[in-house]
Every structure is written in structure tokens, then in C-alpha cells.
Amino acid sequence: EAQVTQNPRYLITVTGKKLTVTCSQNMNHEYMSWYRQDPGLGLRQIYYSMNVEVTDKGDVPEGYKVSRKEKRNFPLILESPSPNQTSLYFCASRGLAGSYEQFFGPGTRLTVL
Amino acid sequence: RKEVEQDPGPFNVPEGATVAFNCTYSNSASQSFFWYRQDCRKEPKLLMSVYSSGNEDGRFTAQLNRASQYISLLIRDSKLSDSATYLCVVILLDSGGSYIPTFGRGTSLIVHP
């Protein structure tokens, strides 16, 4: 089944404790992206990657890092999480040819205390 | 001014009603347009693309008005299962060929018996 997976789905952590949210897709998509979704603000792009070893900042990159060492994986790293990073996070992917449809992962609900 | 604007609603309608949402965008160079559906705390999923000539998929009709810079979604014969948040997505290709998706904050639809 074609899909985007994220882990963990739920995480409660404390300020300053480094964490990584994994994202993997099995559709051989070049483009991958991370979003956060907050009430009243909608989906905002954090980082995106056009292909392996190519990453770019989105609208709200501060406090986040990403890497794209393999085509299928695009982890999101919070080196020192803070409470304002409490949010619902979505990973998405799409191919570079044809439709601009993005496929989203199921989401990761992160709480930083 | 936000680049993509939607009325957050909620639109509260009875089963069988016809309901329409609009989404305005500020960048006239925007190239592609989509409607996504998002159920509570779940990932967004593509509902339909929006073509220049307008397009229909069953009870759903999407239209694009480039002159006035808005897209619309019409839902006929509303079902209880149509209750969700509808996200407008506008795609801009920048001068470097990068794909820049911008999401609206979503319009909430509640269909009641």
C-alpha cells in the first residue's frame, strides 16, 4: 500500500530534550515536506526537500532541522524543544512529475512541557 | 495580508443542502489549485484539483476565477459524512522552478440531520 508513515504518533517530552520524528514514504517520491498545524493558523511549512541531500527552509524553520540522506526518509529533528513547538506535525511527499498532489502522513501530536 | 484566505466557518447545514465555500489568493502568478479535506485530527487528503474550466466529481464542483483570484467548492446534497474541514491549497512556482504550496486555514463544515 502506498503510504507515508510517521513515528511516533504521539509524544510528550520536556523542554530541551532532543527528539526526532521519523517520516518514510514508499512511493519513490522526490519531494518531501514537513508541516505544523496549529489552531487558527492552518498548515505551515517547516522544511522541504526536492531530493536526496537537497533541503530548504519553509515558512517556519526556526528550532527545527531536517536531513535527507535517503530518498524514502525525511526525519524532523528538534535539538532543544520548547513549549511553543507543541503542535500537530505532518510529513508529506509527492512526485516531481505530473500532479502536484501531496500525500500526507497520519500526523504526530507533540507536546513539550 | 495572508496569501490564501478562507472563511473559517463553521458552516452548519442540514442534510441535503447545497453549500459553497470560497478561497481567495493574493499572488496572481499562482499556477495550481486544490481542495483538500481534513477530518478532525487526521491528515489532509486530496478532494479534488481545480481546473481553469471548472470540474465536477459527483456532488462536488470546483471552479477557478483567475480574474478575481478565487477558487470555489460547491457541495450538493450534503451528507453527514461531508462534515470536515476543507482546505484550499494554492501552488506557486517560483523563478527557480521550486514548488511553493500555501494552505488556507480551512473552512469547517458541519452537516446535521
Side-chain angles (χ1 to χ4, degrees):
Chain A
E1 180 191 355
Q3 60 182 351
V4 179
T5 56
Q6 294 179 228
N7 281 291
R9 295 287 314 281
Y10 304 90
L11 178 61
I12 300 174
T13 189
V14 295
T15 298
K17 187 177 181 181
K18 181 180 179 180
L19 67 92
T20 299
V21 184
T22 65
C23 173
S24 183
Q25 49 92 7
N26 62 1
M27 295 170 279
N28 201 35
H29 284 165
E30 291 84 3
Y31 179 97
M32 296 185 75
S33 181
W34 275 103
Y35 296 89
R36 61 178 288 173
Q37 188 174 35
D38 303 287
L41 296 177
L43 277 161
R44 294 180 292 168
Q45 192 175 52
I46 302 170
Y47 270 94
Y48 65 96
S49 169
M50 298 291 284
N51 216 322
V52 176
E53 301 292 1
V54 180
T55 62
D56 276 297
K57 295 178 180 179
D59 298 319
V60 288
E62 294 77 21
Y64 304 95
K65 286 173 58 177
V66 293
S67 70
R68 188 87 183 275
K69 294 186 171 58
E70 304 164 284
K71 197 172 186 179
R72 63 182 292 127
N73 296 322
F74 189 44
L76 179 70
I77 303 153
L78 284 71
E79 294 272 3
S80 182
S82 62
N84 65 12
Q85 292 178 298
T86 293
S87 188
L88 178 59
Y89 291 86
F90 289 104
C91 179
S93 75
R94 72 170 187 96
L96 289 184
S99 165
Y100 291 120
E101 177 184 2
Q102 291 192 79
F103 296 84
F104 285 83
T108 295
R109 184 163 292 280
L110 172 66
T111 302
V112 183
L113 302 175
Chain B
R1 178 186 169 192
K2 186 152 172 49
E3 295 177 32
V4 177
E5 295 202 47
Q6 295 182 251
D7 182 343
F11 285 66
N12 205 319
V13 303
E15 271 186 291
T18 295
V19 61
F21 314 133
N22 280 346
C23 167
T24 59
Y25 60 95
S26 59
N27 193 322
S28 60
S30 299
Q31 298 203 347
S32 299
F33 309 87
F34 300 88
W35 284 102
Y36 277 70
R37 171 192 169 127
Q38 185 176 24
D39 293 294
C40 187
R41 300 187 178 208
K42 297 204 170 176
E43 72 272 25
K45 292 185 179 177
L46 181 68
L47 178 66
M48 58 197 303
S49 305
V50 186
Y51 302 124
S52 297
S53 55
N55 48 300
E56 190 174 305
D57 182 2
R59 297 182 293 110
F60 299 84
T61 300
Q63 291 191 312
L64 166 64
N65 185 317
R66 284 196 183 271
S68 300
Q69 294 183 203
Y70 73 88
I71 66 172
S72 64
L73 178 68
L74 180 78
I75 305 175
R76 290 180 298 278
D77 189 24
S78 299
K79 311 291 185 192
L80 296 176
S81 57
D82 293 333
S83 298
T85 297
Y86 292 84
L87 306 175
C88 159
V89 184
V90 174
I91 309 296
L92 182 66
L93 287 183
D94 70 12
S95 56
S98 290
Y99 153 101
I100 304 173
T102 302
F103 285 77
R105 297 178 186 182
T107 297
S108 174
L109 172 65
I110 300 170
V111 181
H112 59 81

